Amino acid sequence: MEAVKDVWDKAKWGVLGFAVLLLAVLLSNGAWYQIEEQEQAVLVTFGKAETVSEKGLHFKIPLIQGVTKVDTTIQGFPIGYEAGTNEVVASEAVMITSDYNFIDADFFVEYRISDPVKYLYASEQPEEILKNIAQSSIRTVIGSFDVDSVLTTGKTEIQAQIKTMILKKLEEQDIGLSLVNITIQDSEPPTQEVMKAFKAVETAKQGKETALNNANKYRNEKLPAAEAQADEIVKDAEAQKQTRINEAEAQVARFQAMYEEYQKNPVVTKQRMFFEAMEEVLPEMKVIIDHGDGVQKVLPLDSFIADQTSGTDDNTAVSGAGTQDSASAADGQ
């Protein structure tokens, strides 16, 4: 009986010691953990992980359960420059555009942990994966824009396309991170020499635009006057055309009338045509009429023509280059 009692006493003291030890462990800091605001915890029990997101004090079984807390606030990292010194990181910043120009482009990526379990166990370095995805997306999008768009007007569209591409790749990788935003901080030619050349090109482009605007202004000022002048020339040409047509038609009608008279009396018509031609060729010539009795009369050519067309048989002579018989001259015609 004494032996049994001794064993019982030892067992009792052993159980009591274990209870005291267990109580000490439960009351120690290792059995409790606190979850703060903007923080979550991953509780691992026998290799199985689960997320604890409720804020406050939580209990875990020592030596059996493990807890890892993660920060769920928005975090970020730069691409293309050092965060502390703002020095350019050439390997990240220098890129090539669609028109084969080199530029320095700086970005800042904002992200947060969306799934703590995947963040801790789906990959070893999720931030590095995100950074590589961001750099790849940036170079792809920058390479599809020309240098003018990257440096000036296309930044908003570039950011939107990069963000869409990163979100798609993060969804495929499923590493427990989500993209909040990506912002292009700065973009410029990579060296001072290239920057000066780029500024010279921009100045030339502005000069080109100014010259085009001035040319368009000059054209708008001169074109209406030129069009009016051209319209006036066309109208004058049309008027001259009609005048010549009318004159030609009149000459044809006159010729037809003359030809009809010629058919009726050819001799008289020939004489008349001869005298009219002489009147045009020798308008100042005077006509001397000699009747054969030694008396000469000087008459105007019109009177002479009138006398001839009325049927007189007088002989005529023209002074100047010589004298000849008018009737013979008319027959010669």
Side-chain angles (χ1 to χ4, degrees), residues 287-291 295-299 304 307 314-316:
V287 178
I288 301 174
I289 301 175
D290 187 355
H291 291 282
V295 179
Q296 295 180 349
K297 295 181 179 180
V298 180
L299 300 174
F304 175 73
D307 291 340
D314 297 336
N315 294 324
T316 62

Side-chain angles (χ1 to χ4, degrees), residues 205-215:
K205 288 181 179 179
Q206 292 176 2
K208 173 187 173 182
E209 293 296 326
T210 301
L212 287 175
N213 292 335
N214 292 335

Side-chain angles (χ1 to χ4, degrees), residues 144-333:
S144 65
F145 283 81
D146 57 40
V147 66
D148 291 341
S149 299
V150 177
L151 296 176
T152 55
T153 59
K155 293 182 178 180
T156 301
E157 185 178 358
I158 289 172
Q159 291 178 174
Q161 290 191 17
I162 293 173
K163 184 176 182 179
T164 300
M165 190 174 295
I166 293 175
L167 289 173
K168 182 178 179 181
K169 291 183 178 181
L170 280 178
E171 184 178 357
E172 295 173 354
Q173 295 291 330
D174 196 20
I175 57 176
L177 294 179
S178 62
L179 180 69
V180 176
N181 196 20
I182 181 167
T183 308
I184 182 169
Q185 301 293 307
D186 193 15
S187 58
E188 60 184 9
T191 63
Q192 291 297 325
E193 290 78 8
V194 176
M195 188 179 299
K196 290 180 180 179
F198 180 79
K199 289 181 179 179
V201 171
E202 287 299 313
T203 301
K205 288 181 179 179
Q206 292 176 2
K208 173 187 173 182
E209 293 296 326
T210 301
L212 287 175
N213 292 335
N214 292 335
N216 290 330
K217 180 181 178 182
Y218 181 80
R219 181 191 66 181
N220 294 334
E221 291 176 352
K222 297 298 182 181
L223 189 59
E227 290 177 345
Q229 185 177 4
D231 186 60
E232 183 179 356
I233 292 173
V234 171
K235 289 182 179 178
D236 290 342
E238 292 290 340
Q240 292 181 12
K241 169 187 172 183
Q242 192 61 41
T243 300
R244 294 199 176 186
I245 291 175
N246 295 336
E247 290 178 353
E249 291 177 348
Q251 289 178 3
V252 171
R254 180 183 177 189
F255 179 80
Q256 292 291 346
M258 187 180 295
Y259 182 69
E260 292 175 359
E261 292 298 326
Y262 175 79
Q263 287 179 325
K264 294 178 183 178
N265 196 339
V267 176
V268 175
T269 304
K270 285 183 179 181
Q271 290 179 350
R272 179 180 177 183
M273 292 174 65
F274 171 75
F275 293 135
E276 288 178 352
M278 294 302 295
E279 181 183 12
E280 293 179 1
V281 175
L282 304 171
E284 302 297 330
M285 188 64 66
K286 296 181 180 180
V287 178
I288 301 174
I289 301 175
D290 187 355
H291 291 282
D293 56 0
V295 179
Q296 295 180 349
K297 295 181 179 180
V298 180
L299 300 174
L301 186 59
D302 290 342
S303 299
F304 175 73
I305 294 173
D307 291 340
Q308 292 299 322
T309 56
S310 63
T312 61
D313 295 330
D314 297 336
N315 294 324
T316 62
V318 180
S319 63
T323 305
Q324 69 177 26
D325 183 77
S326 62
S328 298
D331 292 337
Q333 299 296 320

Side-chain angles (χ1 to χ4, degrees), residues 1-12:
M1 290 295 295
E2 290 181 359
V4 173
K5 183 178 180 182
D6 291 338
V7 171
W8 172 250
D9 290 338
K10 292 179 179 179
K12 181 173 65 174

